[in-house]
Amino acid sequence: MLGDFNGILLRSERSSNKGIDSASVAMRDALDNSGMIDIPSSGSKFSFCNNKLAFDVVRSKFDRGMANSQRWDIFPRVSLRIIPANSSDYCPLVLNTNGEDGFLKRPFRFKPMWVEDPRSHLAVQHSWLSRQHHQPPVQFVQRQVITRTALWQWNHHQFGKVQTVIKYTREAISAILD
């Protein structure tokens, strides 16, 4: 679940001296009873500002992401970023299922040359047989993640940075021909 919960879970999620109201307590109890877990957030501390002046300003963390344990199994690195708002009283939220550093990583790309090397099949086979989960969809996603990581590591150890080697080889050839 992702959105405006219109309540806070902790006193530290509001900038004013007003404590936690009964609606927020009821929300916290309902989330606890349903097994929902707050997705960790980064960026702005608060997601709402009433845009008042000086002593009347109130900032709160009304917007959040919540997940149950099954979602945590599928997306163990999930993160939520609260982006500062320019013209609204609410800040936009960005949900990332790959974690904070997922914003910076290049996407995984399968390389056809791997199929020609029989050792790549061993990396796939070994990772596909690892880690069993009782729910088939979760098991499938986990196997994909493990296989992607295994292939990336295998490629790094077997071939290194092929494009860099090709670039330096071309430069060396050009230097010899000139």
Side-chain angles (χ1 to χ4, degrees):
M1 294 189 299
L2 182 70
D4 181 1
F5 285 75
N6 208 20
I8 60 173
L9 299 179
L10 304 169
R11 168 67 191 93
S12 61
E13 295 178 346
R14 181 173 285 144
S15 66
S16 71
N17 291 330
K18 183 180 176 187
I20 296 179
D21 58 6
S22 60
S24 292
V25 172
M27 178 185 75
R28 183 174 55 208
D29 291 344
L31 292 170
D32 286 344
N33 291 336
S34 63
M36 300 302 282
I37 304 164
D38 198 24
I39 297 173
S41 62
S42 62
S44 297
K45 180 178 180 180
F46 304 112
S47 63
F48 169 81
C49 178
N50 66 356
N51 292 327
K52 302 281 181 168
L53 298 175
F55 296 109
D56 294 329
V57 70
V58 176
R59 292 180 181 88
S60 300
K61 185 180 177 184
F62 287 154
D63 304 276
R64 60 184 359 101
M66 304 295 287
N68 60 18
S69 61
Q70 289 87 8
R71 294 295 158 241
W72 282 105
D73 287 344
I74 296 172
F75 303 108
R77 296 181 47 184
V78 68
S79 67
L80 185 68
R81 180 177 289 274
I82 302 172
I83 300 173
N86 290 330
S87 59
S88 174
D89 50 354
Y90 283 91
C91 297
L93 304 178
V94 176
L95 181 71
N96 186 344
T97 57
N98 292 319
E100 276 300 312
D101 59 347
F103 286 108
L104 305 175
K105 287 186 178 180
R106 286 184 287 157
F108 174 78
R109 301 224 195 284
F110 180 81
K111 296 180 177 22
M113 70 179 189
W114 293 346
V115 176
E116 296 175 17
D117 190 321
R119 295 170 293 184
S120 69
H121 297 280
L122 294 173
V124 171
Q125 183 179 25
H126 176 59
S127 59
W128 201 253
L129 295 174
S130 66
R131 194 186 244 179
Q132 300 295 319
H133 195 277
H134 64 281
Q135 294 179 346
V138 175
Q139 184 178 28
F140 180 74
V141 170
Q142 285 179 340
R143 285 178 172 173
Q144 283 182 316
V145 170
I146 293 168
T147 301
R148 178 179 61 218
T149 303
L151 281 172
W152 183 88
Q153 289 173 344
W154 172 83
N155 179 61
H156 182 72
H157 291 295
Q158 294 300 318
F159 299 108
K161 297 182 178 180
V162 174
Q163 295 302 323
T164 304
V165 172
I166 291 171
K167 176 184 169 190
Y168 289 135
T169 304
R170 284 185 178 156
E171 288 174 0
I173 291 171
S174 293
I176 292 171
L177 294 176
D178 290 338

